[in-house]
Amino acid sequence: MHYRSKEITSRPPARAMLKATGLTDEDLDKPLIGIANTWTEVTPCNFHLRRLAQKVKEGIRARGGTPIEFNTIAVSDGITMGTQGMRGSLVSREVIADSIELMVESHLFDGLVAIVGCDKTIPGAAMAMARVDLPSVLFYGGSIAPGQWRGKSVTIQDVFEAVGAHNAGTMADDDLTSLENRACPGAGACGGQFTANTMAMAFSVMGLSPIGLSEVPALDPRKDHAAFRCGEIVMKNLQENRSARHFLTPLAFRNAIVAVCATGGSTNAVLHLLALAREANVELPIEMFDQIAAEVPLIADLKPFGRYMATDLEREGGVALVARKLFAAGMLADAPNVIGRTLKEEADDVKERPDQDVILNVNKPLKSRGAFAILKGDLAPEGCVLKLSGKDIQRFEGPARVFDTEQDVFTACQDGKIAAGDVVVIRYMGPKGAPGMPEMLAVTAALVGAGLGDKVALLTDGRFSGATHGLCIGHIAPEAHVGGPIAMIQDGDRITIDVPSRTLNVDANLDRRRLQWKAPAPRFERGVFGKYIREVGSAATGASTQPF
C-alpha cells in the first residue's frame, strides 16, 4: 500500500530531522499516524488526555504504525462562562478544525486519531476529519465522575444554579463553597447529557467514534485499554482503506439526530452537526432536526432534565443500549462503526439489567417528543432552536424584557427586576455580534436559582449550555448584528411562543422600526475575532466559516 507520508520520509533532510526526535529508519518505513491531542491544563475535561495519548501510541505501534503526536487548543466553556472569554468558545471550534487540518496536510500523515474532551474539541476534530478524509478515529476522553454533596450526586450544573440561589438569598456562603469543593472530583468532561457527552454520543452513533470505548469514564481503569484499542482501530481502517467520509453519510447524520433527541441532548448538537455536514458535503437542512424531534420520544432520564449522569448511562450499557431501544422501535438504521462492526451488531450484543431505569423503552418514554424544536416566525425567519424543559410547555406569551448584554440580565435578575411571565430577550450575542454566540448558563442558572426557571422564557441569538434547562430559545436567525428582527424588539412587545405550530412571533411593526435601526460596528476588526466576524455564517447553517 502507498502511504502519503512516504513523500516526506523518503527525503534525507526530512529523515534527518525526524531522527532527531527519536525515530529510527524502521519507524520511518511505516505509515505515520498523527495524534491530534487536545490535552491542556486549563480544564478537567482534557486534563488527563496526555496519559491516554501514550496508550493510543502503544496501540498504533502494536499494529505496525508510527505515531506522531501534536497538540491543538481547547477553550473551556464552563470556566469562561459568564465572562468575556466565553465568546472564544465557538470560535475555537473553527481554530481546532483549521489547526488539525493544517498539521495533517502539511506533514502528510497517513491516518489520524483525535483525542478530545471538552465541548468544542469534539466537533472541531470531527470537522477536520471530514476535511482531510483519512482513516481516522475520534476518541473521547470520557465523562467526569459525579461529585457527592450531602448525600446526592452533583455536577457543575448544580454549582451554576447554586450561584443563582446564593444571589437570591436562599443559599449561604459556606454551603456554596462546600458544593464548589465537591462538584468536580477529578478529570473528565461535565457529567450530564450536556454538550460534550451529547456530541460524543452523536459521533459514536454516526460511526466516527468507537462505540463502547469513548464513553468509558475519564478516570475508569478501563480507559487505558480503550485508548490502546483506538490505536489498533486506526491501523485496521488504514489497512482496509476506510476514511472518515465512509462514515459521514446522510443516514449517519439522521441516526445522530435521533440519538440526540432521544437522550435530551444539548441544543449545541444542532450547530455542530450542521457545521459538520458542510464539511462532509452532506445536505442537512435545519428543518430535519424538528422533523426528527417530533417523531422521537425522550427515553433517557439524564441530567439536566433527569436524575442520572453519563457514568450511570455507561454502566447500564451506554450508547449501545440507547441504540438497542431505538432499533427496537424502528427509529435507527444500521450503519458501519469505526470499531469494525455495525451499530446494530453493537446494539444486539449489549446486556441490559432488568431493573435499570436510566434508558426507558420507546413505548413508555419520559416525554412523547425529543427535548427541542425548531421554530420560525416574525422573530426567526431562518429558524431558532427551542430547548424544552422537563415539563411539557406548549405555549408561552408575555411582555419582552430586552437586554443587549448578558451581564445586564444577570444584574436585573439579582436585583429582582425580572418577573414571572416575562420574555427575556438577550441580543447582539450571535455569531457575528458577540462574536461567537456565548452560552447563557450563568443567566439561566440565575433564573433557576431565583425560582423563575419555569416561569419566564429566554430568547437569544446566542447559545445555551448543554446544562441549561427551562424554556429557552437560542440560535435566533438572522441575528441582531445583521439586522435580524430580534434587533427591533422593544420592552413591552408581546411575544408568543407556540410549540405545536412551531412559531415565534411578536405583536409589533418591526418593518417601521427597521427604518431607524443602524448596524453596529463590529466589536473586533483584527485578530482571530475580526477574521471570524468576516467569515462566519448564520446559526441556521451551523455558524460555520466553511462555504457549502
Side-chain angles (χ1 to χ4, degrees):
M1 181 183 292
H2 172 73
Y3 298 118
R4 297 191 333 154
S5 62
K6 292 305 176 190
E7 185 180 334
I8 283 182
T9 58
S10 63
R11 297 175 60 250
R15 294 179 74 88
M17 294 188 73
L18 288 167
K19 286 177 179 179
T21 70
L23 297 182
T24 66
D25 285 323
E26 183 182 5
D27 294 328
L28 295 174
D29 287 337
K30 297 174 181 178
L32 302 186
I33 308 299
I35 299 178
N37 195 348
T38 61
W39 170 84
T40 177
E41 289 184 336
V42 81
T43 172
C45 308
N46 302 53
F47 187 72
H48 60 303
L49 302 187
R50 177 183 279 177
R51 185 193 83 246
L52 296 182
Q54 299 306 312
K55 296 300 179 180
V56 172
K57 290 178 184 178
E58 291 175 16
I60 291 170
R61 292 190 187 103
R63 291 303 176 106
T66 296
I68 298 181
E69 183 181 359
F70 62 92
N71 260 89
T72 185
I73 66 162
V75 172
S76 169
D77 289 32
I79 293 171
T80 61
M81 193 79 67
T83 74
Q84 291 299 310
M86 217 289 151
R87 60 191 169 203
S89 168
L90 190 60
V91 178
S92 76
R93 184 189 71 182
E94 310 303 306
V95 175
I96 291 161
D98 290 349
S99 63
I100 294 175
E101 177 193 14
L102 195 59
M103 286 293 290
V104 170
E105 294 295 356
S106 297
H107 297 95
L108 299 180
F109 292 127
D110 301 301
L112 175 65
V113 178
I115 310 176
V116 295
C118 62
D119 294 3
K120 304 309 173 295
T121 61
I122 305 172
M127 289 159 62
M129 289 177 172
R131 291 182 193 176
V132 301
D133 196 26
L134 294 175
S136 304
V137 175
L138 184 70
F139 181 44
Y140 174 49
S143 176
I144 194 172
Q148 298 298 320
W149 187 66
R150 297 184 178 175
K152 68 175 184 177
S153 296
V154 292
T155 70
I156 193 65
Q157 171 195 347
D158 296 279
V159 180
F160 274 100
E161 293 178 5
V163 171
H166 179 266
N167 290 333
T170 58
M171 176 175 266
D173 291 354
D174 289 348
D175 291 338
L176 179 58
T177 301
S178 174
L179 174 59
E180 173 194 324
N181 289 339
R182 291 167 174 79
C184 298
C190 298
Q193 191 67 341
F194 309 152
T195 301
N197 285 312
T198 295
M199 297 316 301
M201 175 178 286
F203 292 140
S204 287
V205 170
M206 292 183 81
L208 197 60
S209 195
I211 195 166
L213 300 180
S214 277
E215 62 213 76
V216 175
L219 298 183
D220 190 298
R222 296 171 294 153
K223 199 68 178 182
D224 284 358
H225 178 67
F228 181 90
R229 286 281 296 119
C230 285
E232 293 184 310
I233 290 166
V234 74
M235 292 304 298
K236 186 173 188 292
N237 280 278
L238 176 65
Q239 291 155 9
E240 297 176 2
N241 200 29
R242 280 195 298 270
S243 65
R245 291 197 188 185
H246 173 76
F247 305 99
L248 296 176
T249 65
L251 187 63
F253 278 93
R254 180 177 178 82
N255 280 346
I257 298 170
V258 169
V260 170
C261 292
T263 56
S266 168
T267 52
N268 281 313
V270 178
L271 274 181
H272 299 326
L273 291 174
L274 286 171
L276 179 60
R278 292 177 80 85
E279 303 288 356
N281 280 325
V282 171
E283 292 279 356
L284 184 64
I286 193 172
E287 291 79 10
M288 182 179 288
F289 289 84
D290 188 71
Q291 294 164 9
I292 294 172
E295 299 168 358
V296 176
L298 179 65
I299 60 172
D301 195 359
L302 298 171
K303 287 180 178 288
F305 303 116
R307 297 173 293 166
Y308 293 110
M309 312 286 192
T311 50
D312 298 313
L313 171 62
E314 193 276 335
R315 183 189 65 244
E316 299 296 353
V319 176
L321 179 59
V322 173
R324 179 172 173 173
K325 301 288 188 180
L326 294 170
F327 271 121
M331 292 181 172
L332 283 182
D334 202 10
N337 186 275
V338 72
I339 203 167
R341 285 157 52 88
T342 70
L343 180 60
K344 185 140 192 334
E345 286 173 334
E346 292 293 331
D348 288 344
D349 282 355
V350 71
K351 300 294 189 294
E352 179 183 3
R353 287 193 309 107
D355 60 343
Q356 75 82 22
D357 58 353
V358 180
I359 302 296
L360 309 181
N361 292 324
V362 170
N363 60 356
K364 293 184 178 180
L366 293 167
K367 290 179 61 176
S368 62
R369 59 161 291 135
F372 59 77
I374 307 299
L375 311 185
K376 292 189 174 182
D378 297 345
L379 279 179
E382 294 179 3
C384 60
V385 184
L386 165 66
K387 184 162 191 174
L388 296 164
S389 68
K391 298 181 180 179
D392 281 313
I393 300 174
Q394 297 299 303
R395 182 182 173 88
F396 193 99
E397 182 178 350
R401 292 292 314 284
V402 184
F403 302 89
D404 289 348
T405 73
E406 183 181 6
Q407 183 57 48
D408 288 346
V409 185
F410 194 78
T411 301
C413 184
Q414 285 182 307
D415 295 343
K417 294 181 179 178
I418 294 175
D422 285 345
V423 178
V424 179
V425 178
I426 315 176
R427 61 190 179 190
Y428 296 103
M429 295 288 109
K432 291 180 180 291
M437 296 183 74
E439 292 182 352
M440 305 290 175
L441 181 56
V443 168
T444 57
L447 292 170
V448 170
L452 295 171
D454 59 354
K455 298 181 176 65
V456 300
L458 183 58
L459 276 58
T460 182
D461 48 6
R463 297 182 295 133
F464 294 110
S465 164
T468 295
H469 59 111
L471 185 59
C472 301
I473 296 177
H475 313 192
I476 290 177
E479 62 174 294
H481 186 81
V482 299
I486 190 174
M488 315 304 156
I489 301 299
Q490 295 178 359
D491 278 344
D493 287 346
R494 202 79 185 167
I495 294 176
T496 302
I497 303 162
D498 193 306
V499 178
S501 68
R502 306 291 192 276
T503 55
L504 175 63
N505 291 317
V506 60
D507 186 11
N509 189 334
L510 302 185
D511 290 336
R512 183 180 302 166
R513 294 177 189 171
R514 187 179 302 279
L515 298 175
Q516 306 299 318
W517 180 80
K518 293 183 179 180
R523 295 179 191 264
F524 297 88
E525 296 280 1
R526 300 171 62 83
V528 65
F529 291 110
K531 292 177 187 177
Y532 184 83
I533 290 169
R534 289 189 293 274
E535 296 293 329
V536 72
S538 169
T541 55
S544 173
T545 58
Q546 185 84 321
F548 192 74

